[in-house]
Amino acid sequence: MKDVSELFWQASPAELKQGYRYDGAAGVYICLICGETFADGVVYRHGDLLYEARKYVAVHIAASHQSVFAFLVGLDRKLTGLTDHQKALLELFYDGRSDAEVAKELGAGSVSTVRNHRFALREKQKQAKVFLAIMELLAERAPKKSGFIDLPRGTRNVDERFAITAEENEKILAACLPQGPDGPLALFPAKEKKRLAILRHIVKYFDPTATYSEKEVNAILKRFYDDYVLLRRYLVDYGFMDRTADGGKYWIKL
């Protein structure tokens, strides 16, 4: 199965479609497929042509990974939910083949059979949209459990798996912050339950009534972890913080 980075799962649907995301703090475009970065303001050469970073990352994806579509379709069934037959159909549809050509290529029977496959895939798309909306509503509605530490309103993926007692919270902080609550982190935990405990602790170092620039956020996070960009992204992704569309201003979500 192809490896998929944590950055891949943090990306929005729009970023997944384009295959890269822009990190404003670091000033780089990041390929979501391989993690290679391209610095904003730098000119890159491909053959006889020169490209600015934003355009070059798309060139890189085409040259190194064929296409975003090819990468996504090639992911394991556990990640896509697609059978091998459905993947083959999608690849031919993506190439612009007619229903008759697809039927001949796959030996799929009649043209009407291929049309039925197209219909089934469109139905799968509709179901995915509905399921996503259901899970987001569920996350917002999940009941709080008495005796457990609460997460901020709007925090994603809040359910029983991530409920945590005060005692558990103290153990996690002691293990990850051996030099004390002010940092630095000895490690940033991979398990989501522990990760949320760390983020919940770190967000306390921000004034809930203040608005911060990206540099000010970074300055606070640096005391905890060298990869402050990762911490900042998680604080936003998990709903502890919010920001303007351009990433210029940050604030605590109450």
Side-chain angles (χ1 to χ4, degrees):
M1 183 171 68
K2 293 181 180 178
D3 292 331
V4 179
S5 68
E6 185 66 29
L7 186 64
F8 179 91
W9 294 120
Q10 294 168 14
S12 67
E15 289 171 333
L16 289 179
K17 283 175 60 180
Q18 67 187 13
Y20 65 88
R21 73 182 303 177
Y22 179 66
D23 187 330
V28 296
Y29 292 88
I30 308 171
C31 175
L32 295 174
I33 299 174
C34 66
E36 189 168 349
T37 60
F38 306 93
D40 198 10
V42 175
V43 175
Y44 295 85
R45 179 183 294 276
H46 182 76
D48 296 330
L49 299 177
L50 299 175
Y51 299 88
E52 60 181 13
R54 183 177 63 83
K55 293 183 178 179
Y56 185 75
V57 66
V59 173
H60 158 78
I61 290 172
S64 301
H65 309 295
Q66 186 180 346
S67 69
V68 177
F69 178 88
F71 173 76
L72 295 177
V73 168
L75 291 174
D76 190 87
R77 182 176 180 176
K78 291 181 179 179
L79 302 181
T80 65
L82 296 169
T83 65
D84 290 340
H85 184 63
Q86 288 173 324
K87 289 182 179 182
L89 286 165
L90 288 168
E91 288 169 345
L92 292 171
F93 293 154
Y94 188 75
D95 286 340
R97 305 288 187 89
S98 68
D99 290 348
E101 290 172 329
V102 172
K104 183 178 180 180
E105 179 77 19
L106 297 180
S110 66
V111 171
S112 62
T113 300
V114 176
R115 289 175 181 165
N116 287 336
H117 284 307
R118 283 188 185 270
F119 176 80
L121 288 168
R122 285 195 293 269
E123 290 300 298
K124 190 177 183 70
Q125 178 187 22
K126 293 177 183 177
Q127 292 167 356
K129 289 182 178 179
V130 172
F131 181 71
L132 180 60
I134 289 172
M135 293 305 295
E136 290 182 351
L137 289 170
L138 178 62
E140 295 172 3
R141 187 69 173 176
K144 297 176 180 179
K145 302 180 74 175
S146 177
F148 289 80
I149 295 175
D150 294 334
L151 295 176
R153 183 174 56 193
T155 303
R156 75 171 180 88
N157 290 338
V158 181
D159 59 33
E160 292 183 0
R161 292 175 299 151
F162 309 118
I164 184 172
T165 66
E167 182 179 358
E168 287 179 308
N169 190 67
E170 290 178 5
K171 289 181 178 179
I172 293 170
L173 295 183
C176 296
L177 295 162
Q179 297 184 39
D182 293 338
L185 284 165
L187 56 90
F188 189 66
K191 291 187 177 180
E192 198 161 18
K193 187 173 184 178
K194 294 181 178 181
R195 185 186 301 163
L196 285 167
I198 295 300
L199 294 174
R200 186 190 305 109
H201 171 75
I202 291 175
V203 80
K204 294 176 182 178
Y205 287 76
F206 292 87
D207 182 348
T209 65
T211 299
Y212 296 88
S213 68
E214 191 173 84
K215 288 185 178 180
E216 289 172 331
V217 173
N218 293 343
I220 293 173
L221 297 180
K222 282 179 182 178
R223 76 171 71 176
F224 291 101
Y225 202 49
D226 290 338
D227 192 354
Y228 55 86
V229 174
L230 177 69
L231 291 181
R232 190 187 70 236
R233 185 177 299 125
Y234 274 135
L235 286 170
V236 173
D237 286 349
Y238 280 97
F240 289 94
M241 298 188 79
D242 207 345
R243 63 183 178 185
T244 55
D246 63 359
K249 298 294 181 182
Y250 290 74
W251 60 92
I252 300 300
K253 291 181 72 172
L254 301 177

